[in-house]
Structure formats: structure tokens, C-alpha cells
């Protein structure tokens, strides 16, 4: 079987199955081989029937004594009931709405069953187990370590396992792309072995070895990309931005606050970096509200005075326009030419031509600081670009950075800003090539936000509290979760909450609604009204998550708080507590029986006010899998490797550095080069 064989050519893949597989990105045999389980069900021990107890996952082997279909009267469901026995005893087995099973299995058949046991009216039964006729060559659904794959609707685990089993012999055709010495030195499995063992390992140690090898591939590629960029940048020049001491001092002195030590240090590191001829590559890390914007403004200001151009890119148009407003304010006394340029906005603090088509060109040419979204760098050629700052865009990776060079000879300096607390070693694996500046402390005199978990029963109290604050002239956010997957932007729930608040709870107040489906001009208008205190309560979806700055908002109510991750809740909460008033964050949770971990998670928020402690807490609660919602907060996720496998990360980094040092354009490693060029985000430009 060839790797390129379309899945529709496989046994039991009809048109509709092929469509469903396509939804998972699976079109060829090769795709299937690289579609890995996210866990294994351990059915390696089969249990004698008389040892089975209720409420467990078990695997049993026995003979079908009796099997028949029934209609359950009350529930109008089709039932298939069987009695299965082994040497030790007999157990009842039930399936729902799968009448065909009674055709597949006949009395006398030896079967292997795996599933959960339950007790009903004192009778023990096995409910809807996976089944296989024993005696089939190799059992893949009910014995040993059974792989469990991520699925979409209309596909079953059983189908997928069946297909992967069919595809597995083709694994031998997958070309080994890692050099033999790396495989040998690091004691890694060959790619073919790794793929076979990842799908159907004989034991956990095989599964582990497979994961090591496949995880290494992932980390190694990532590190190669960083190293290639680092190597390329070594020989590049960047505009030298002379430090403008006098004006910078003036800028700092006219601020309405004193910079924190962390802000000063970070700014100093950045200003020193851009005062060099080689391009800066730096990450600025600081918790929500630590004041990264003013640090960015200082760097941009220095660029402007040097008669170069700086660009600041935000993840959304709302945030871009907020940055534009706040940086305009910070730079008011200095006549710096500032512009906002996004898909739908073109604004500047200097004269623009009337004609829309001409405005953008004038901005690109004349503005000293341009604020926009990521499209800025992709769509325009900024002639004197000397500094690019990206705010909260974790996906702005090596590939995007390689496109930063505009028409000229020079490369711009690069600064990435994030509020996600990333341990240094982790940052190394994500951004192997960035230097790091850290703002550790929060501005002084800031009152910690008071966070309370509130049960559904006490909803009215929360409303009363909000009203009280609004009567004092303050404002509130109400954040809504997604209703369901099909409502990805959460528009439905936000709209419902909005209507309810407006009609029933606060008819006397001005309530606003903002969500991702609104046009950006509308969004901006609403944000402006909220900032001007014309709206008392702003109902919002996750669009307000990052960066929004309305200091007069002092209460945030979060609906369905249990549905959000800690990181996201912390980000939301960072939208209040920005002014002088004491601020509050109210976490509303549904009354349904609550997962104790969820409760702990939410309590952690009322206990800790800083991202780092929360991250530690999250790590304890969730395990290292998805630390602090890194994946959720838009980090380029790893499919296989863990970001916490420091040892593997180190190995990958060393192996990558060694190869790039010896063979920078990878001409002696054609397979690696090809892999780098074809892999998902691997548009590395190898000159
Ligand atoms: P973030 O790091 O989350 O991007 P911002 O830059 O938006 O934080 O700053 C949050 C708020 O704190 C803003 O209103 C800003 O004006 C204010 N701020 C920044 N630095 C200081 C400081 N040193 N002292 C007091 N307030 C500050
Ligand atoms: Mg910010």
C-alpha cells in the first residue's frame, strides 16, 4: 500500500465516511498513520467474570450464551441483551440502539468485551462495551492498550482503529528523515517503529518510546526553525536607533505615574538592543496590568525621533485602536506622527488626504509610529521600518518573523509582548531565539482585585452589587461563555444575557453588547461609548479578553465561569482594577453538581492575584499537559511532545544547533531540509 493512497480506497470507507475523515484532516494513508491517539485505555488485564465489580472499566473474555433484541417500553429504546460466561461466572451485557450486534454475535461465539460495568436493581451488567470476536487474528478494540483518538461526530473509535490497523503496513514506506547518528546517540526509535508502536503498543513502555521519538521530531523541527532564523539574522543589519536621552527623560517625567523598576529595566534592555546594528529579538513578559504598553511606547518614541518608523501590532482591531488612543495620549507633548491602520480603520494625528485610497499610502510613508493588526506587516511595505512590536500574539512565530524584512536592505528590530507567564526554560523551547525581559512587579498603589465565586442561587445579590457600584458612577463588564461549539463566538449567550439584563434586571441603565461578529466600526463605537461612561454595563464575549483598558470599570461579572480556563479568567479579570476604585470580579457558576477540581480552580482565582501563582496552581490541578491554558491562550500547540519535557527539549535544541552550525543551509541534509520546507509551519527560507 502506498502512503498516498486516498482513504476512500480502504475497506469500509464510503463517501460519507471519507467526508467525515476529511474533517479531521485525514485524506491519505499517510495522514492516518500520523493521526495519533491522545491516550490509551488499558485493557491489558482481562478480569474473570466473578471478580467484576460495579462502576469499573473492565475487559472480559467469554462465550455468548444468549443474545436477543428487545424494545425497552419505557424509554422506547432498542436494547440488545446478551449473557456471557467464562469459567468463573456469567454476566449480563447490554447495548442500546445497536440491534445489528445481535446479527454479528451468535450464541457460542467467543468474544472479548471492554467497557464499563454498572449495577441495576442489584444486577451487575456490562453496558455498551466495545466487542470483538476473539479468535480474530489480533484484537485491537478490547485487549491490551487500546488507542483512543480525537474524533468528530459521525466517526467512532472502532472505525478509526479499524482503518489505522489497515493502514499500518504502509508505515514501512515512511522515509526516515533523522540522521542515523542522532537516532543512535539519543536512542530513538526509527520512524516506522515509532508509528507502529504509537498506535498499537504492546505495553506502556513501547507507547512511551514511540512518544519520545515522535515528540523529538516535533521539538527538533521547531528548534531547527529557530536556529535557522538565528543564523540568518547573525549576518543581517538593522537600523541603529540612537538612544535619545533628553527626550526620553522628558517622556518619562511627564507620565502621570512613576515607572516601576521592572518597567525601567525592561525599557533599558530594549533601548540598548535597538541601539545596535544587529536586529533585536526580544520577548517582554509581564503580568496583565504590569504596564507593558508604556515600555513599548518608549521604544517606539525613540525610533520616531531617529526618523525611522515603528509598528505595533495587536491581535484585534479593538485593541489596536485602544493602543492608538493610549499611545497618542502618552506622546501628546511631542508631535510624534502617529497612525492607526487596520482592515477597516485609517486614522492619524496628522493631516490625511480626503480620498480613502490615498490615506493608506500617506500613512505608510509619513507616520512615524503605525499601530495596527498583524495584517499591517503582511499588506504594506513600510519604507523606514526599524522596530516591530507584537502584543499578545503567540502565534507570531518564526515564519511570520521571516517576513518582517520590508523592501530595504535592513531588518527591523523585533519585540514580542506577552502576559502569559512562561518559565524561562519553556520560553526557550517556544522561542528558542529570543532574549527575555521580565517585568516582575505591578505598579504601586494598585488595589488587588477582590474575586468571589458566586453560586447561581445568589445571582440577585450580584446584580444588586453591580447596581450599587453603578450608582456611584462606576461601570461593569458582564462576560459570557460560549453556549455551544456551533456558536464559536459566543454571540448567542451574550445576546441573550444582554436582552435579559436590559429588559428585566436593569431597565433603567444603559447596557451595551459587544461580540466578535459585529463590524469593527460598530465595535469601536461601543468601546468608545463605554470608555466615555455612556454605557453602564457592557455585555461581552471573549473579545474583551486581552488588553482593553477602561479604568472606570470596577466590576466584572463572569457568567458560567467554570467553562473558562484559569488563564483566560485571569486575563478577563485584568480588565478591571485599572483605576483608583476598589475592583471586583464575580465568578458566577451553575449549581449543577460541580466538579471539585473546578471549584478549586475558581477558588484559586480568589486567592491569588498574579498570573504566576495561578500558573503554578493550574499545573498542580491539571498536570503538565496544558499548563495554564497555554494552548487555549493561542500558543502554537505541540501535538505530541510536552513543553515540560525539559530533557527532550534540550536534546532537540542541541541536535538542531549542531546541525545548523555545521551545515547552515542544510545542503548536506536534504531530508531535513525538505521536512522543514514542507512541515506545517515550516516555510523557513533557506538561502
Ligand atoms: P499590560 O502590561 O497588561 O499591557 P497596560 O500597559 O495596559 O498593561 O497598563 C495597565 C494600566 O496601568 C494602564 O492604565 C497604564 O496607564 C497603567 N500604568 C502603567 N504603568 C504604570 C505605573 N508605573 N504606575 C501606575 N500605573 C501604570
Ligand atoms: Mg497590554
Amino acid at each position: 500500500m502506498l502512503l498516498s493512497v486516498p482513504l476512500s480506497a480502504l475497506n469500509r470507507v464510503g463517501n460519507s465516511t471519507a467526508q467525515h475523515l476529511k474533517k479531521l484532516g485525514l485524506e491519505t494513508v499517510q495522514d492516518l498513520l500520523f493521526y495519533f491517539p491522545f491516550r490509551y485505555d488499558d485493557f491489558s488485564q482481562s478480569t474473570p467474570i466473578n471478580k467484576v465489580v460495579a462502576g469499573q472499566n473492565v475487559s472480559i473474555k467469554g462465550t455468548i450464551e444468549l443474545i436477543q433484541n428487545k424494545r425497552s417500553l419505557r424509554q422506547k429504546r432498542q436494547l440488545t441483551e446478551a449473557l456471557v460466561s467464562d469459567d468463573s461466572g456469567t454476566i449480563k451485557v447490554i447495548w442500546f440502539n445497536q440491534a445489528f450486534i445481535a446479527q454479528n454475535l451468535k450464541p457460542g461465539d467467543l468474544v472479548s468485551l471492554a467497557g464499563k460495568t454498572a449495577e441495576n436493581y442489584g444486577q451487575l451488567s456490562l453496558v455498551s462495551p466495545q466487542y470483538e470476536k476473539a479468535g480474530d487474528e489480533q484484537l485491537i478494540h478490547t485487549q491490551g492498550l487500546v488507542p483512543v483518538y480525537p474524533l468528530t461526530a459521525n466517526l467512532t473509535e472502532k472505525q478509526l482503529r479499524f482503518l489505522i490497523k489497515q493502514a499500518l503496513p504502509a508505515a514501512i514506506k515512511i522515509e526516515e528523515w533523522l540522521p542515523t547518528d542522532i537516532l543512535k546517540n539519543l536512542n530513538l526509535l526509527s520512524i516506522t517503529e515509532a508509528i507502529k508502536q504509537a498506535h498499537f503498543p504492546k505495553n506502556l513502555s513501547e507507547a512511551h518510546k514511540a512518544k519520545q521519538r515522535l515528540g523529538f521530531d516535533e521539538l527538533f523541527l521547531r528548534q531547527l526553525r529557530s536556529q535557522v532564523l538565528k543564523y540568518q539574522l547573525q549576518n543581517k543589519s538593522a537600523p541603529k536607533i540612537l538612544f535619545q536621552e533628553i527626550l526620553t527623560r522628558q517622556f518619562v517625567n511627564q507620565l502621570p505615574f512613576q515607572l516601576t523598576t521592572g518597567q525601567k529595566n525592561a525599557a533599558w534592555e530594549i533601548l540598548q538592543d535597538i541601539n545596535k546594528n544587529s536586529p533585536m529579538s526580544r520577548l517582554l513578559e509581564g503580568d496583565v496590568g504590569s504596564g507593558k504598553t508604556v515600555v513599548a511606547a518608549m521604544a517606539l518614541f525613540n525610533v520616531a525621533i531617529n526618523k525611522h518608523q515603528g509598528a505595533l501590532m495587536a491581535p484585534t482591531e479593538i485593541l489596536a485602536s485602544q493602543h492608538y488612543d493610549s499611545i497618542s495620549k502618552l506622546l501628546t507633548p511631542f508631535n510624534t506622527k502617529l497612525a492607526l491602520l487596520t482592515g477597516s480603520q485609517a486614522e492619524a494625528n496628522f493631516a490625511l488626504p480626503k480620498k480613502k485610497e490615498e490615506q493608506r499610502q500617506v500613512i505608510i510613508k509619513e507616520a512615524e509610529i503605525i499601530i495596527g493588526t498583524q495584517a499591517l506587516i503582511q499588506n504594506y511595505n513600510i519604507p523606514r521600518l526599524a522596530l516591530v512590536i507584537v502584543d499578545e500574539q503567540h502565534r507570531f512565530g518564526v515564519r511570520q518573523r521571516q517576513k518582517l524584512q520590508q523592501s530595504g536592505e535592513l531588518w527591523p528590530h523585533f519585540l514580542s509582548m506577552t502576559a502569559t507567564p512562561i518559565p524561562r526554560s519553556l520560553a526557550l523551547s517556544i522561542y528558542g531565539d529570543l532574549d527575555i525581559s521580565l517585568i516582575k512587579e505591578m505598579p504601586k498603589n494598585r488595589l488587588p482585585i477582590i474575586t468571589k465565586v458566586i453560586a447561581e442561587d445568589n445571582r440577585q445579590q450580584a446584580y444588586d452589587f453591580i447596581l450599587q457600584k453603578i450608582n456611584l458612577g462606576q461601570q461593569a463588564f458582564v462576560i459570557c461563555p460560549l453556549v455551544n461549539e456551533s456558536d464559536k463566538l459566543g454571540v448567542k449567550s451574550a445576546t441573550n444575557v444582554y436582552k435579559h439584563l436590559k429588559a428585566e434586571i436593569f431597565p433603567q441603565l444603559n447596557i451595551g453588547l459587544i461580540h466578535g461578529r459585529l463590524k469593527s466600526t460598530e465595535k469601536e463605537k461601543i468601546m468608545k461609548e463605554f470608555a466615555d461612561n455612556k454605557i453602564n454595563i457592557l455585555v461581552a464575549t471573549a473579545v474583551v479578553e486581552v488588553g482593553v483598558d477602561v479604568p472606570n470599570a470596577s466590576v466584572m461579572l463572569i457568567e458560567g465561569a467554570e467553562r473558562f480556563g484559569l488563564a483566560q479568567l485571569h486575563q478577563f479579570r485584568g480588565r478591571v482594577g485599572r483605576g483608583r476604585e476598589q475592583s471586583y470580579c464575580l465568578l458566577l457558576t451553575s449549581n449543577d453538581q460541580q466538579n471539585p477540581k473546578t471549584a478549586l480552580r475558581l477558588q484559586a482565582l480568589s486567592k491569588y492575584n498574579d498570573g504566576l501563582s495561578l500558573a503554578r496552581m493550574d499545573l498542580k490541578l491539571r498536570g503538565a499537559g496544558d499548563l495554564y491554558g497555554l494552548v487555549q491562550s493561542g500558543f502554537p500547540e505541540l501535538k505530541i511532545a510536552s513543553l515540560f519535557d525539559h530533557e527532550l527539549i534540550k536534546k532537540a535544541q542541541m541536535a538542531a544547533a549542531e546541525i545548523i552550525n555545521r551545515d547552515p543551509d542544510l545542503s548536506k541534509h536534504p531530508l531535513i531540509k525538505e521536512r522543514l520546507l514542507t512541515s506545517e509551519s515550516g516555510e523557513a527560507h533557506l538561502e
Side-chain angles (χ1 to χ4, degrees):
M1 193 188 316
L2 289 173
L3 293 166
S4 56
V5 168
L7 294 180
S8 50
L10 293 189
N11 214 342
R12 287 200 225 157
V13 181
N15 257 342
S16 72
T17 305
Q19 282 306 316
H20 299 318
L21 289 166
K22 200 169 165 183
K23 277 206 191 114
L24 295 175
L26 305 175
E27 297 184 60
T28 64
V29 162
Q30 167 147 331
D31 297 338
L32 208 51
L33 290 174
F34 281 92
Y35 195 70
F36 297 113
F38 64 95
R39 68 177 164 92
Y40 304 93
D41 277 338
D42 188 356
F43 293 124
S44 51
Q45 306 292 329
S46 56
T47 311
I49 288 174
N50 69 346
K51 292 274 172 3
V52 170
V53 289
Q56 279 188 329
N57 269 315
V58 294
S59 163
I60 63 173
K61 249 195 203 149
T63 310
I64 304 259
E65 301 289 342
L66 185 83
I67 184 160
Q68 59 187 2
N69 285 330
K70 272 189 178 174
R71 190 154 275 281
S72 93
L73 283 179
R74 230 162 13 102
Q75 295 166 317
K76 300 209 181 99
R77 284 198 289 187
Q78 180 87 45
L79 269 182
T80 304
E81 279 186 0
L83 285 178
V84 174
S85 56
D86 66 5
D87 294 343
S88 73
T90 302
I91 190 167
K92 184 165 140 182
V93 182
I94 309 171
W95 289 275
F96 299 103
N97 295 328
Q98 300 185 66
F100 59 89
I101 291 175
Q103 251 78 61
N104 288 349
L105 301 177
K106 298 282 177 224
D109 280 350
L110 190 61
V111 289
S112 178
L113 302 168
K116 192 148 187 169
T117 54
E119 197 169 315
N120 266 323
Y121 304 109
Q123 194 188 21
L124 200 60
S125 54
L126 192 56
V127 185
S128 301
Q130 300 270 354
Y131 67 94
E132 270 175 296
K133 280 193 211 183
D136 288 2
E137 347 68 272
Q138 194 196 341
L139 299 175
I140 57 172
H141 305 297
T142 58
Q143 288 282 297
L145 291 176
V146 174
V148 183
Y149 298 91
L151 287 184
T152 104
N154 302 316
L155 282 173
T156 65
E157 290 292 344
K158 198 160 183 171
Q159 252 176 320
L160 212 61
R161 281 195 290 265
F162 176 80
L163 293 177
I164 289 176
K165 188 79 193 167
Q166 275 186 69
L168 215 52
I172 201 157
K173 304 233 168 70
I174 292 172
E175 200 169 17
E176 181 58 72
W177 70 290
L178 285 184
T180 328
D181 54 331
I182 291 188
L183 288 179
K184 231 165 75 203
N185 293 342
L186 299 179
N187 191 20
L188 294 169
L189 292 179
S190 72
I191 187 69
T192 301
E193 266 321 297
I195 283 176
K196 286 185 174 166
Q197 295 187 17
H199 291 294
F200 298 106
K202 290 201 190 66
N203 47 47
L204 281 177
S205 126
E206 278 199 10
H208 178 74
K209 287 219 81 171
K211 192 173 169 201
Q212 283 269 310
R213 159 64 212 248
L214 298 168
F216 180 84
D217 281 20
E218 203 171 26
L219 294 168
F220 183 58
L221 264 178
R222 185 178 286 253
Q223 293 290 346
L224 274 173
R225 251 177 242 132
S226 293
Q227 299 281 349
V228 167
L229 180 67
K230 201 168 177 178
Y231 184 85
Q232 289 172 343
L233 288 181
Q234 265 175 16
N235 311 315
K236 302 290 177 201
S237 312
K240 185 166 161 150
I241 302 301
L242 297 175
F243 174 47
Q244 305 289 331
E245 192 174 344
I246 297 172
L247 282 168
T248 305
R249 233 176 254 285
Q250 273 181 28
F251 171 84
V252 171
N253 290 337
Q254 54 95 40
L255 290 172
F257 45 72
Q258 279 229 310
L259 291 178
T260 63
T261 312
Q263 284 172 313
K264 280 186 207 156
N265 290 343
W268 182 236
E269 283 169 343
I270 293 163
L271 291 171
Q272 275 184 311
D273 266 8
I274 61 177
N275 199 348
K276 290 183 190 137
N277 273 129
S278 53
M280 166 174 78
S281 297
R282 190 168 279 280
L283 177 71
L284 173 58
E285 207 184 310
D287 206 347
V288 185
S290 61
K292 296 183 290 294
T293 316
V294 62
V295 174
M298 260 164 106
L300 290 166
F301 180 47
N302 269 273
V303 168
I305 308 168
N306 275 268
K307 295 292 163 220
H308 280 281
Q309 294 172 296
L312 171 62
M313 302 194 288
T316 64
E317 295 195 352
I318 295 187
L319 282 171
S321 79
Q322 288 233 341
H323 275 320
Y324 176 68
D325 291 343
S326 54
I327 294 180
S328 298
K329 263 188 221 137
L330 292 172
L331 292 176
T332 314
F334 300 98
N335 293 323
T336 312
K337 286 184 155 184
L338 210 66
L340 173 68
L341 189 56
T342 68
S344 64
Q345 305 150 300
E347 244 182 276
N349 67 355
F350 54 93
L352 288 181
K354 289 248 157 46
K355 283 196 186 146
K356 278 238 150 49
E357 316 85 73
E358 290 167 18
Q359 290 177 349
R360 289 170 182 260
Q361 285 320 310
V362 170
I363 287 179
I364 293 302
K365 265 227 238 46
E366 292 184 16
E368 293 160 331
I369 298 176
I370 308 177
I371 296 167
T373 50
Q374 196 171 314
L376 196 53
I377 290 297
Q378 281 149 9
N379 298 347
Y380 299 102
N381 204 332
I382 304 172
R384 286 162 288 129
L385 187 63
L387 170 64
V388 173
I389 304 182
V390 301
D391 190 21
E392 294 295 348
Q393 297 181 73
H394 308 122
R395 282 176 193 279
F396 198 93
V398 168
R399 181 170 50 144
Q400 283 77 13
R401 285 179 51 205
Q402 269 159 336
K403 293 187 184 145
L404 286 185
Q405 187 173 25
Q406 308 276 303
S407 59
E409 279 296 294
L410 297 177
W411 275 68
H413 298 285
F414 175 76
L415 178 70
S416 174
M417 305 198 292
T418 178
T420 309
I422 319 166
R424 201 167 279 267
S425 56
L426 184 52
L428 256 187
S429 74
I430 308 177
Y431 310 105
D433 50 331
L434 296 189
D435 301 314
I436 301 174
S437 294
L438 203 61
I439 303 181
K440 278 204 187 113
E441 73 273 64
M442 291 300 244
K444 277 195 215 82
N445 310 327
R446 200 164 278 169
L447 293 168
I449 300 161
I450 297 175
T451 302
K452 289 239 148 69
V453 182
I454 296 183
E456 182 60 42
D457 289 343
N458 301 326
R459 177 180 282 276
Q460 189 55 45
Q461 284 173 21
Y463 289 152
D464 294 344
F465 185 77
I466 290 178
L467 188 59
Q468 212 183 314
K469 293 294 167 196
I470 287 175
N471 287 336
L472 293 172
Q474 299 166 24
Q475 291 164 277
F477 286 103
V478 174
I479 308 291
C480 304
L482 310 183
V483 173
N484 53 36
E485 267 305 292
S486 65
D487 180 30
K488 277 224 157 63
L489 298 167
V491 176
K492 242 198 316 211
S493 75
T495 310
N496 290 343
V497 168
Y498 167 73
K499 284 187 187 149
H500 178 66
L501 292 182
K502 203 173 145 106
E504 327 256 332
I505 312 290
F506 303 116
Q508 74 281 29
L509 299 181
N510 286 327
I511 317 250
L513 170 66
I514 193 164
H515 56 65
R517 220 167 277 164
L518 295 178
K519 283 213 193 88
S520 54
T521 45
E522 287 172 77
K523 278 192 265 190
E524 243 192 280
K525 183 169 152 268
I526 294 166
M527 279 317 297
K528 177 110 185 31
E529 286 174 9
F530 191 55
D532 296 343
N533 202 356
K534 292 193 183 118
I535 290 176
N536 306 112
I537 301 177
L538 184 63
V539 179
T541 55
V543 292
V544 298
E545 179 176 355
V546 274
V548 172
D549 192 32
V550 179
N552 192 47
S554 63
V555 189
M556 172 169 285
L557 174 88
I558 302 179
E559 294 277 352
E562 72 275 3
R563 302 209 202 175
F564 294 107
L566 266 187
Q568 216 179 357
L569 289 169
H570 181 57
Q571 275 283 359
F572 288 148
R573 176 170 68 174
R575 300 309 110 219
V576 294
R578 298 181 155 242
R580 247 165 286 149
E581 304 300 337
Q582 173 64 54
S583 289
Y584 301 85
C585 177
L586 311 177
L587 304 170
L588 256 169
T589 62
S590 56
N591 278 338
D592 315 347
Q593 80 177 68
Q594 231 186 50
N595 174 337
K597 268 198 184 168
T598 310
L600 272 178
R601 230 157 34 89
L602 295 182
Q603 274 154 26
L605 273 163
S606 39
K607 202 156 148 203
Y608 301 110
N609 252 303
D610 65 295
L612 203 61
S613 310
L614 282 171
R616 280 201 204 103
M617 185 73 196
D618 211 25
L619 184 59
K620 262 194 223 143
L621 290 173
R622 284 209 256 193
D626 171 22
L627 168 86
Y628 194 55
L630 282 185
V631 170
Q632 195 183 47
S633 56
F635 266 83
E637 62 269 48
L638 291 167
K639 291 205 185 90
I640 304 154
S642 157
L643 287 173
F644 295 89
D645 195 339
H646 295 305
E647 211 166 308
L648 200 63
I649 289 170
K650 262 236 171 76
K651 284 178 183 165
Q653 194 177 14
M654 275 159 61
E658 200 184 286
I659 288 198
I660 298 300
N661 284 338
R662 264 188 295 143
D663 183 19
D665 61 358
L666 292 174
S667 57
K668 295 188 200 84
H669 294 85
L671 288 175
I672 293 183
K673 184 167 178 168
E674 189 192 315
R675 183 67 188 262
L676 207 54
L677 291 171
T678 53
S679 68
E680 209 177 343
S681 44
E683 290 170 37
H685 297 291
L686 297 160
E687 285 141 36

